[in-house]
Amino acid sequence: MAEAVLIDLFGLKLNSQKNCHQTLLKTLNAVQYHHAAKAKFLCIMCCSNISYERDGEQDNCELETSNGLSALLEEFEIVSCPSMAASLYTIKQKIDERNLSSIKVIVPRNRKTLMKAFIDQLFTDVYNFEFEDLQVTLRGGLFKQSIEINIITAQELRGIQNEIETFLRSLPALRGELTIITSSLIPDIFIHGFTTRTGGISYIPTLSSFNLFSSSKRRDPKVVVQENLRRLANAAGFNVEKFYRIKTHHSNDIWIMGRKEPDSYDGITTNQRGVTIAALGADCIPIVFADPVKKACGVAHAGWKGTLLGVAMATVNAMIAEYGCSLEDIVVVLGPSVGPCCFTLPRESAEAFHNLHPACVQLFDSPNPYIDIRKATRYLTGFLYNCFLPPSKLTAREKFSCLIYLKPNGLQWIIHLFGNYR
């Protein structure tokens, strides 16, 4: 049974004839009869076509309604926007506010393919849609008899995408302005930075507004993430068409750009100009590597598994092997991540960190010890650098890691890191 029911009256030419009222009344009554008991959201989507009074206020629409139709419309939420993109995005927000996923769409046959094309862009696999023909055709009445259109041309699809992109660009930033944090240790030949949670348009409560990760298993659609990325590219000054993210698998696999791309990897290295590479993190640590001598850079995503597997060292080794980098020339910066106050593991998993160094674990004898993955990463990378770098240089890096660790009062930080060189 559908949790939400959407009736599509968008673009239909309604009029005030009595038989139109009766047909619309019959249709809405049927929807209410079959779905009102279990559906948590009943919605009519229109484009300034329906008029009714609620709490003494009248919508800016054309159709005058009878008392019976006005009373019935009280049971439905009316979404009236100037574009399909705006209407469906507004409806999606209302569906997400109620945490619903099973949706029935009652739509005229000639608009079903168009509706599906918009839904494919604005929704993800989290949602389950079923479609039903809107049976309200009359002889010269509510709207003309139509046939189902089964094909969307490439030009029409591009028009749909343009409409959605234009609408999303018009939306204001949520939860604050876009902020980019940079490090004075990264040489000026590299463009780099950390974003925070703010400045994007993602409204899902469990995500930051500046979400840069799309997944079919999340409610945030790819088009929203692409709009966030577009805003970041404009602010930071990189080419969004040459932007590459890690494909997280919590491993130590590295993609050396220019070679065949693996199915998954937690690190990227490159020496290509104008290319931007990115590591995303929440609890996990985003790490940036920069060698101003060989003009090469890398990023890594270090979760607790990747940390123990040595993803940071694997990234360094890839830069040395592929670009001839020297250890003493590679600057390594740890981005914000979860701290030891908030991250626990079962004791059997924590034992590996304790074996690395006891300082990486607090309350080791408890069932779920607290783990400092940042300290573990510094011990692992410090083993490399202690053999080659002056203590003062290593200390400077350590200070920066502490300086940019922004403790979010118990809340998760979702941090993204990007870097390229001019």
Side-chain angles (χ1 to χ4, degrees):
M1 180 65 69
E3 299 172 314
V5 178
L6 165 62
I7 303 175
D8 173 30
L9 299 182
F10 193 94
L12 299 182
K13 294 181 179 180
L14 304 177
N15 58 51
S16 58
Q17 296 177 10
K18 183 177 180 181
N19 56 357
C20 293
H21 290 197
Q22 293 173 345
T23 302
L24 183 57
L25 182 62
K26 181 179 179 181
T27 300
L28 298 183
N29 266 321
V31 171
Q32 187 188 39
Y33 176 80
H34 290 291
H35 298 286
K38 293 187 178 181
K40 300 176 182 178
F41 179 58
L42 300 176
C43 177
I44 295 174
M45 182 177 78
C46 63
C47 183
S48 299
N49 285 332
I50 294 180
S51 175
Y52 68 103
E53 291 188 0
R54 175 177 291 179
D55 299 330
E57 296 183 2
Q58 187 170 7
D59 287 347
N60 183 23
C61 306
E62 298 174 356
L63 178 64
E64 297 178 0
T65 58
S66 62
N67 290 335
L69 185 55
S70 294
L72 184 56
L73 286 172
E74 291 282 349
E75 304 298 322
F76 292 79
E77 187 153 349
I78 310 297
V79 174
S80 178
C81 297
S83 71
M84 277 279 288
S87 295
L88 280 174
Y89 193 81
T90 301
I91 291 168
K92 181 181 183 298
Q93 286 180 301
K94 295 177 182 295
I95 289 172
D96 290 334
E97 287 172 2
R98 296 165 172 82
N99 198 31
L100 309 179
S101 58
S102 179
I103 305 158
K104 170 170 277 191
V105 181
I106 302 175
V107 56
R109 292 177 62 194
N110 66 315
R111 286 176 52 81
K112 187 185 297 184
T113 302
L114 178 69
M115 175 67 76
K116 288 180 178 179
F118 271 95
I119 286 173
D120 286 345
Q121 296 289 317
L122 289 170
F123 291 81
T124 67
D125 291 348
V126 170
Y127 308 86
N128 178 41
F129 285 90
E130 59 176 312
F131 294 86
E132 180 181 307
D133 290 344
L134 183 60
Q135 302 291 347
V136 287
T137 54
L138 294 173
R139 300 173 184 174
L142 194 59
F143 59 87
K144 294 181 179 180
Q145 179 70 37
S146 59
I147 60 174
E148 184 173 352
I149 301 171
N150 294 317
I151 299 175
I152 290 287
T153 67
Q155 183 177 0
E156 289 171 333
L157 180 59
R158 189 58 211 158
I160 291 170
Q161 293 169 339
N162 285 338
E163 180 180 322
I164 292 172
E165 289 170 6
T166 300
F167 169 71
L168 294 180
R169 290 185 183 192
S170 72
L171 296 178
L174 300 177
R175 305 171 194 164
E177 297 301 316
L178 169 58
T179 301
I180 300 174
I181 304 169
T182 59
S183 165
S184 61
L185 296 181
I186 301 295
D188 290 340
I189 63 170
F190 297 94
I191 298 173
H192 76 284
F194 300 89
T195 66
T196 65
R197 297 175 65 92
T198 63
I201 62 170
S202 301
Y203 62 81
I204 305 298
T206 55
L207 300 174
S208 70
S209 78
F210 210 76
N211 175 37
L212 291 178
F213 176 70
S214 62
S215 168
S216 61
K217 298 178 181 180
R218 290 184 171 188
R219 289 179 177 265
D220 221 17
K222 187 176 180 179
V223 289
V224 168
V225 173
Q226 288 174 330
E227 172 57 20
N228 287 342
L229 180 58
R230 185 195 68 82
R231 296 185 184 201
L232 175 59
N234 286 346
F238 64 83
N239 183 357
V240 72
E241 300 297 328
K242 295 183 177 181
F243 179 85
Y244 300 89
R245 280 170 279 232
I246 60 169
K247 296 181 179 179
T248 304
H249 192 57
H250 297 281
S251 67
N252 60 357
D253 295 327
I254 309 299
W255 176 34
I256 298 172
M257 192 170 288
R259 296 189 181 184
K260 182 179 179 181
E261 183 180 0
D263 292 334
S264 61
Y265 45 89
D266 283 78
I268 310 176
T269 66
T270 187
N271 64 350
Q272 298 179 24
R273 293 181 178 273
V275 168
T276 302
I277 55 179
L280 284 66
D283 288 350
C284 307
I285 311 171
I287 310 175
V288 64
F289 308 80
D291 181 352
V293 177
K294 295 297 183 180
K295 295 183 172 61
C297 60
V299 294
H301 161 269
W304 73 268
K305 292 181 180 179
T307 297
L308 292 175
L309 290 171
V311 66
M313 292 180 290
T315 307
V316 169
N317 289 335
M319 294 175 67
I320 292 172
E322 188 70 15
Y323 315 120
C325 299
S326 299
L327 279 172
E328 58 267 24
D329 296 325
I330 301 175
V331 179
V332 182
V333 175
L334 276 64
S337 68
V338 69
C341 62
C342 311
F343 184 60
T344 63
L345 286 174
R347 195 176 187 280
E348 56 269 24
S349 299
E351 188 172 354
F353 287 91
H354 191 267
N355 292 339
L356 173 64
H357 198 288
C360 297
V361 183
Q362 299 177 22
L363 303 177
F364 179 63
D365 293 329
S366 67
N368 295 287
Y370 288 83
I371 309 300
D372 191 337
I373 59 172
R374 301 179 61 79
K375 187 171 288 185
T377 299
R378 290 197 290 268
Y379 276 117
L380 287 167
T381 54
F383 177 78
L384 280 172
Y385 288 110
N386 282 339
C387 300
F388 300 93
L389 298 183
S392 59
K393 195 168 186 179
L394 182 63
T395 301
R397 293 170 185 175
E398 293 281 286
K399 286 182 178 178
F400 183 74
S401 294
C402 296
L403 177 64
I404 63 171
Y405 172 43
L406 307 177
K407 187 176 179 181
N409 298 324
L411 299 176
Q412 284 189 356
W413 275 74
I414 296 181
I415 304 294
H416 315 287
L417 180 149
F418 58 90
N420 70 6
Y421 68 92
R422 297 185 181 93

